[in-house]
Structures are given as C-alpha cells and as structure tokens.
Amino acid sequence: MKNRIRTDLVLFSVLLALSLSVCPTLTLAGGEDGDQTSAADVRRELNETLQTLASYSADQRDAAVAKAKEALAKTDARIEQLQEKIERDWQPMSQEARKQAQETLKALRKQRTEIAEWYGGLKHSSANAWDEIKQGFAHSYSELEKSLEKAREKF
C-alpha cells in the first residue's frame, strides 16, 4: 500500500504541476478579499501538525485522531478554495485549461480519499500497527500539503 500511495503522490504532484503550468489562473490563495493564508503559515501549520502527530502514542489515539481531523478540515478548505477559484475563472478558460482544472480537482479528491483511508487506520489500528499507520497518514498528508503549497507559490 505504501508503494502505491507513494506512486500516486508522485503522479499527483506531476499532474498538479502540469495543470497549473497550463492554467496559470489557478491559485490556492483565498478570494480577492485578502483572506489568503501565507505559504509560511501553511508550512508552519504543517510542521506543527506533523510534530504533534508524531508525539502521540497509541494510548493517545483520541487526541491524535482529533488533530488529524482538524488538519484534514483545513486541507479540505484549501481544496475548496481552489475549486471556487476554478469556478470563478471558468468562462475565460480555454477547453484545455478547463480539462486540466477538472483533472487537477479529481486528482486532489483522489488523494484526499487515500488520506481518509489512513485517517480511518488512525481511528481503528491496533497498538502494534500504530506507528506505521501514524507515519503513513503523516507522509500522505505532508505530500498533499506540499503539492498544494508548490502550486500556490507558483501562482
């Protein structure tokens, strides 16, 4: 499963980079009203989340699950911002840009679904599998956030 997820992450990253190079109107920043979160804020938040998750033992499962849920909600919000941006910019986009935007959103949702599987593992894993599940979740979450940040920095 780890190799499949790693391969999917690489493919997703390439797809996202290609999509954004074809459709430079895509951005992961907030709306025009200035509510965007800076890349430094996202990076800091990502590091804090990953450090916190790494510190939890199997006995602290509930706290780890709550922290993971909070992190996923923020990631979902950033994906939603991208979708809203695409919808706002849909009319002036070329057919190719529209196709790339749809593929990007589809890839993001697929990756988010895979992270949800790790999240489920956090909630239900045995104490013996805890460290592996926790690391798998952290790695998948980190890779998705890094891909989102790269896209945001580019545009």
Side-chain angles (χ1 to χ4, degrees), residues 29-44:
E32 289 87 25
D33 57 0
D35 64 342
Q36 75 182 44
T37 304
S38 74
D41 291 340
V42 171
R43 208 173 7 260
R44 186 186 75 255

Side-chain angles (χ1 to χ4, degrees), residues 97-113:
R98 288 177 179 183
K99 180 180 175 187
Q100 291 296 320
Q102 289 173 329
E103 289 174 2
T104 298
L105 287 171
K106 183 178 177 181
L108 282 168
R109 287 188 183 102
K110 180 180 181 206
Q111 189 60 40
R112 175 57 178 87
T113 298

Side-chain angles (χ1 to χ4, degrees), residues 23-53:
C23 184
T25 61
L26 299 180
T27 182
L28 295 171
E32 289 87 25
D33 57 0
D35 64 342
Q36 75 182 44
T37 304
S38 74
D41 291 340
V42 171
R43 208 173 7 260
R44 186 186 75 255
E45 185 178 295
L46 173 63
N47 289 334
E48 288 173 3
T49 299
L50 294 176
Q51 288 174 357
T52 301
L53 282 174

Side-chain angles (χ1 to χ4, degrees), residues 63-78:
V65 168
K67 187 68 172 179
K69 184 177 182 178
E70 178 185 318
L72 290 175
K74 289 178 182 178
T75 298
D76 290 343
R78 287 190 270 277

Side-chain angles (χ1 to χ4, degrees), residues 57-69:
S57 68
D59 293 335
Q60 298 168 309
R61 178 187 321 272
D62 291 343
V65 168
K67 187 68 172 179
K69 184 177 182 178

Side-chain angles (χ1 to χ4, degrees), residues 2-150:
K2 285 183 185 179
N3 286 339
R4 188 179 120 243
I5 289 175
R6 191 169 288 126
T7 300
D8 288 346
L9 286 171
V10 170
L11 291 173
F12 165 74
S13 297
V14 170
L15 176 62
L16 184 61
L18 288 173
S19 297
L20 292 172
S21 67
V22 171
C23 184
T25 61
L26 299 180
T27 182
L28 295 171
E32 289 87 25
D33 57 0
D35 64 342
Q36 75 182 44
T37 304
S38 74
D41 291 340
V42 171
R43 208 173 7 260
R44 186 186 75 255
E45 185 178 295
L46 173 63
N47 289 334
E48 288 173 3
T49 299
L50 294 176
Q51 288 174 357
T52 301
L53 282 174
S55 70
Y56 289 126
S57 68
D59 293 335
Q60 298 168 309
R61 178 187 321 272
D62 291 343
V65 168
K67 187 68 172 179
K69 184 177 182 178
E70 178 185 318
L72 290 175
K74 289 178 182 178
T75 298
D76 290 343
R78 287 190 270 277
I79 292 170
E80 181 66 26
Q81 286 174 347
L82 175 61
Q83 182 172 348
E84 289 170 2
K85 175 70 171 151
I86 289 169
E87 290 170 2
R88 279 193 308 269
D89 295 343
W90 189 258
Q91 287 302 317
M93 285 184 186
S94 69
Q95 288 299 327
E96 182 61 27
R98 288 177 179 183
K99 180 180 175 187
Q100 291 296 320
Q102 289 173 329
E103 289 174 2
T104 298
L105 287 171
K106 183 178 177 181
L108 282 168
R109 287 188 183 102
K110 180 180 181 206
Q111 189 60 40
R112 175 57 178 87
T113 298
E114 290 174 2
I115 292 171
E117 292 173 12
W118 285 110
Y119 175 73
L122 283 175
K123 291 173 30 176
H124 304 292
S125 68
S126 68
N128 293 338
W130 176 251
D131 285 335
E132 182 180 342
I133 297 295
K134 183 173 63 170
Q135 289 172 359
F137 175 86
H139 176 74
S140 294
Y141 173 73
S142 175
E143 291 300 312
L144 177 57
E145 284 294 326
K146 286 177 186 176
S147 295
L148 288 169
E149 183 180 339
K150 284 180 186 177

